Structures are given as structure tokens and as C-alpha cells.
């Protein structure tokens, strides 16, 4: 889109059932938000989970290439998307002009162990991702695919997310944060059940400035869209 800057958005642990109000704010501020179609989260019936994290990075980079996003550009990564965003910035620094993380996975903190989402029965998982109730798009993820294909798509999305983070959600990011040299920021929900706010100290120690958003859960862009959106727009400008 002429006159706009591309922005790459990497979604969180529940997939991308709908754009958040924060993405609308970023678009209103002049960004063209690009969301890559990542295998496992896009209702691809042929999805097979990669054997390791390097395999996931290949899946990510292939999805970015297919998205047509104009690099370099800012990257916003939420949850597991933040974990992947860190590696994109560490291994392909020429592609990332700024990195904003929203409660990223990737570092395990034994003193701040959060909820294992996959120990929770499937119907109850979504309520643990938010502090202010489950937003409508997450109530029936992939419901638009119908009663037969929708549940399969949800299952595959959960398999993909679990493959990325289980059992500890640690993929060695602590040892790579020094490789992230672009402008960087992380926002964290004060009521995050999966990654308690104490985990953020590990990221701050690695050179990623952290700000806590009180009253927000793990997917904080949905719980506090005005506050998160305003802070991201200010940072990315």
C-alpha cells in the first residue's frame, strides 16, 4: 500500500482467529500489518509438526517470504510469536528494524513457573489467556469452517502451539538476546497466568526493556487494547 510501512505481526499461542483492536490502531497510524500464514495455525490438513526449533524457524521464514512483506520492517510478536520474533531479529538482523514483544515465550524461570496450558481440559483453556473474559473470536476458534472442519483446525493449532512451547516454553532465547540489536520493547500483562510478570526480569536482564500492563492477562493486546496499542504506536514511531 503506497505511503505506508509494512509491519510483521506474529500471533500468539491461541492462533489468529481475528485481528485484535491493537492491529487496527497500528493500521490507523500508518502501518500495513502483514500476518503470515504459518503452517499448523492456518487450517492446513497436511501439517506435520517440525522435529525441532530449527524446523520451526524454517517454517516461519518460508511463511514470511510467502507473505510478501517488505523487509526490513518492524516486528510485533505476541506469546509464541514473540519467541519466534526474537530469533528472527537475532538471526536475520537485516530484516527487523524494531522488535516489540507481548509476553514472549522462550525463557523458563524456575522461580516464576506459570500455568501449563496443556494440563487444562481443552474447553477451559481460553479463559486462562485473558484477565477480562474470553473475547468473542476466541470462543469458537475456526468456527467459520463449520462443525466438521472447525474442531480439526482448532486441534491442529493447539498441536502446533504445544510443539513450540511444551514442556517448559524455553528455546534458549536467553543465550541469544544479546544478538538483538534493533530498537526493542516488551509489554507484559500483570495478571498473566502462563508467564507470570516475574519472568519478565529475565528478559530485562538480557537487554529487552519491559513494561507491565496491569489488569491484563497473557494475550494482553485483547485485555488492554487502548493502552497496548498506544504504547506500540509510540514505540514504533
Amino acid at each position: 500500500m503506497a505511503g505506508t510501512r509494512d509491519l510483521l505481526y506474529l500471533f500468539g499461542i491461541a492462533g489468529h482467529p481475528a485481528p485484535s483492536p491493537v492491529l487496527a490502531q497500528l493500521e490507523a497510524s500508518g502501518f500495513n500489518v502483514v500476518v503470515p500464514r504459518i503452517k499448523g495455525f492456518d487450517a492446513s490438513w497436511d501439517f506435520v509438526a517440525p522435529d525441532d526449533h530449527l524446523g520451526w524457524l524454517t517454517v516461519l521464514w518460508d511463511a514470511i517470504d510467502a507473505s510478501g512483506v517488505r523487509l526490513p520492517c518492524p516486528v510485533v510478536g505476541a506469546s509464541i510469536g514473540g519467541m519466534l520474533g526474537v530469533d528472527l531479529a537475532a538471526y536475520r538482523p537485516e530484516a527487523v528494524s524494531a522488535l516489540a514483544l507481548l509476553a514472549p515465550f522462550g525463557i523458563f524461570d524456575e522461580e516464576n513457573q506459570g500455568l501449563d496450558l496443556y494440563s487444562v481440559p481443552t474447553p477451559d483453556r481460553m479463559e486462562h489467556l485473558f484477565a477480562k473474559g474470553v473475547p468473542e473470536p476466541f470462543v469458537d476458534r475456526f468456527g467459520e469452517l463449520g462443525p466438521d472442519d472447525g474442531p480439526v483446525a482448532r486441534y491442529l493449532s493447539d498441536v502446533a502451539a504445544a510443539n513450540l512451547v511444551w514442556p517448559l516454553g524455553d528455546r534458549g532465547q536467553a543465550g541469544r538476546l544479546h544478538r538483538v540489536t534493533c530498537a526493542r520493547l516488551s509489554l507484559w500483562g500483570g495478571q498473566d497466568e502462563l508467564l507470570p510478570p516475574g519472568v519478565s526480569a529475565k528478559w530485562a536482564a538480557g537487554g529487552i526493556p519491559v513494561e507491565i500492563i496491569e489488569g491484563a492477562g497473557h494475550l494482553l493486546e485483547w485485555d488492554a487494547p487502548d493502552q497496548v496499542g498506544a504504547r506500540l504506536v509510540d514505540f514504533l514511531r
Side-chain angles (χ1 to χ4, degrees), residues 11 36-47 142 145 153 157:
F11 49 78
R37 293 177 58 89
I38 299 176
K39 276 280 190 179
F41 298 94
D42 63 349
S44 298
W45 308 133
D46 60 345
F47 170 68
F142 298 104
L145 298 179
S157 178

Side-chain angles (χ1 to χ4, degrees), residues 93-142:
E94 79 286 352
V96 182
S97 60
L99 180 65
L101 306 173
L102 306 177
F105 273 93
I107 298 177
F108 176 68
D109 183 354
E110 189 167 347
E111 296 181 359
N112 290 281
Q113 297 187 39
L115 173 72
D116 175 4
L117 189 64
Y118 303 105
S119 68
V120 176
T122 302
D124 302 328
R125 288 176 184 166
M126 292 300 101
E127 64 189 66
H128 294 283
L129 300 181
F130 309 94
K132 298 180 179 180
V134 180
E136 184 61 31
F138 293 88
V139 173
D140 186 23
R141 291 177 299 152
F142 298 104

Side-chain angles (χ1 to χ4, degrees), residues 44 158 171:
S44 298
D158 288 346
R171 291 296 179 266

Side-chain angles (χ1 to χ4, degrees), residues 139-155:
V139 173
D140 186 23
R141 291 177 299 152
F142 298 104
E144 71 279 1
L145 298 179
D148 295 326
D149 291 346
V152 176
R154 285 195 296 274
Y155 170 75

Side-chain angles (χ1 to χ4, degrees), residues 9 12 14 28-29 33-34 50 55 87-88 91 119 126 136 142 149 161 178 182 193 212 214:
Y9 173 73
S29 72
V33 176
V34 179
D87 282 337
L88 183 63
Y91 292 129
S119 68
M126 292 300 101
E136 184 61 31
F142 298 104
D149 291 346
H178 69 284
C182 62
E193 290 188 54
I212 304 298
E214 295 299 341

